[in-house]
Amino acid sequence: AQSVTQLGSHVSVSEGALVLLRCNYSSSVPPYLFWYVQYPNQGLQLLLKYTSAATLVKGINGFEAEFKKSETSFHLTKPSAHMSDAAEYFCAVSDLGGGSYIPTFGRGTSLIVHP
Amino acid sequence: DAGVIQSPRHEVTEMGQEVTLRCKPISGHNSLFWYRQTMMRGLELLIYFNNNVPIDDSGMPEDRFSAKMPNASFSTLKIQPSEPRDSAVYFCASSPVMSPGTDTQYFGPGTRLTVL
C-alpha cells in the first residue's frame, strides 16, 4: 500500500533563504507524485507533479522537486523564499498497487517565512 | 472557467440537524472527489466518482454520511444527523481523467462546517 511521510510539520526560514520541504513515499510500483500548496482559507492548488518523465520537475512560483527512486524521496525546494510562500504544503502519491490510482496525501508541512 | 464551486462556504448547525454540502465540478472533468480536512486527521478522501458513478466510498466515516452525483455538473454530500465531531473543512475536487491519481486534482475553496 502506498504512503507518504512529510518530515516536519513546520519549517521556518528567513526571506531569501533556501526552502526545503521533505517528502518520502512508500510504493510497490512506479508512482505518480504531486506537491500541492494551500493558502489560508483556500483549497489546494497544484505546484508540480512527477509522472515518470524527467526526474527533476519544475513547478510554479519557482519551486522544483526531484524524484529519487533509490531514496524514495520527492523533496520540494526553492532557492529563495518569499513572504508570499508562507502556506501549507502537501505531498501526495498514487500508484496502481491497489488496483486503481487513488491519491494519498501527507499530513502537510506549514512553511513560515520570516522577514 | 470558474473552477470548482462549493456552497455554502460556511455552515453552522446544531447537533442532530441535516447538513447538505454542494459542489459543481469543472465542466468536462470525469472524476469528482469529496475530502474532509481536520487538524487531527489531515486530509481524508471520503468518496470519489467517475462519470457520476461512485467508485470508492471506503472513506465515508459511517452511515450518517451519503454522497450523490445526479449529473456531471452537480454533487452533494449529506450528513444526517450531524454531530460535533463532523466539524471540519470539506473539500470537493475534480479531475479531467478517469484515474484520479494520475493527473491534477482541482480543489474548490471548501465548506467550513461547525456542528454545535
Side-chain angles (χ1 to χ4, degrees):
Chain A
Q2 65 197 25
S3 65
V4 178
T5 301
Q6 292 186 238
L7 296 176
S9 59
H10 295 83
V11 170
S12 182
V13 300
S14 298
E15 191 173 21
L18 171 72
V19 175
L20 171 61
L21 304 182
R22 299 178 186 274
C23 173
N24 287 89
Y25 68 92
S26 172
S27 173
S28 58
V29 296
Y32 290 82
L33 295 159
F34 305 82
W35 275 101
Y36 286 84
V37 60
Q38 184 181 29
Y39 298 103
N41 300 314
Q42 295 186 28
L44 282 68
Q45 308 171 32
L46 183 73
L47 271 180
L48 50 82
K49 60 185 176 185
Y50 168 76
T51 57
S52 75
T55 57
L56 182 62
V57 182
K58 294 186 183 299
I60 62 171
N61 301 337
F63 284 93
E64 63 181 37
E66 185 172 9
F67 171 64
K68 292 187 176 180
K69 183 178 179 181
S70 61
E71 299 177 7
T72 60
S73 69
F74 191 57
H75 302 330
L76 182 70
T77 61
K78 182 174 180 177
S80 176
H82 294 168
M83 296 296 292
S84 60
D85 294 328
E88 190 86 11
Y89 292 79
F90 293 89
C91 183
V93 63
S94 68
D95 64 32
L96 200 53
S100 64
Y101 284 100
I102 306 296
T104 298
F105 284 82
R107 292 301 305 269
T109 298
S110 178
L111 177 64
I112 302 162
V113 182
H114 297 287
Chain B
D1 199 314
V4 176
I5 299 172
Q6 290 186 249
S7 64
R9 291 295 309 275
H10 301 273
E11 177 80 28
V12 180
T13 190
E14 292 190 347
M15 183 174 63
Q17 296 297 307
E18 177 180 297
V19 174
T20 300
L21 311 181
R22 297 172 176 80
C23 174
K24 177 179 170 56
I26 293 173
S27 177
H29 281 193
N30 294 309
S31 299
L32 182 138
F33 316 83
W34 282 101
Y35 288 91
R36 178 171 68 177
Q37 186 179 41
T38 61
M39 290 292 291
M40 290 294 292
R41 300 172 70 90
L43 194 65
E44 304 174 273
L45 177 64
L46 300 177
I47 186 172
Y48 87 92
F49 296 82
N50 272 352
N51 288 340
N52 315 338
V53 176
I55 301 301
D56 187 343
D57 64 354
S58 59
M60 296 285 262
E62 50 197 272
D63 292 344
R64 297 186 298 107
F65 285 69
S66 63
K68 295 182 179 180
M69 192 166 184
N71 56 61
S73 59
F74 184 66
S75 177
T76 59
L77 178 68
K78 185 177 294 187
I79 308 172
Q80 164 67 12
S82 58
E83 296 182 3
R85 61 190 167 125
D86 302 330
S87 297
V89 181
Y90 290 81
F91 288 103
C92 176
S94 68
S95 176
V97 297
M98 295 288 285
S99 294
T102 62
D103 205 341
T104 305
Q105 294 181 66
Y106 296 82
F107 284 76
T111 295
R112 182 174 296 276
L113 174 64
T114 302
V115 183
L116 303 174

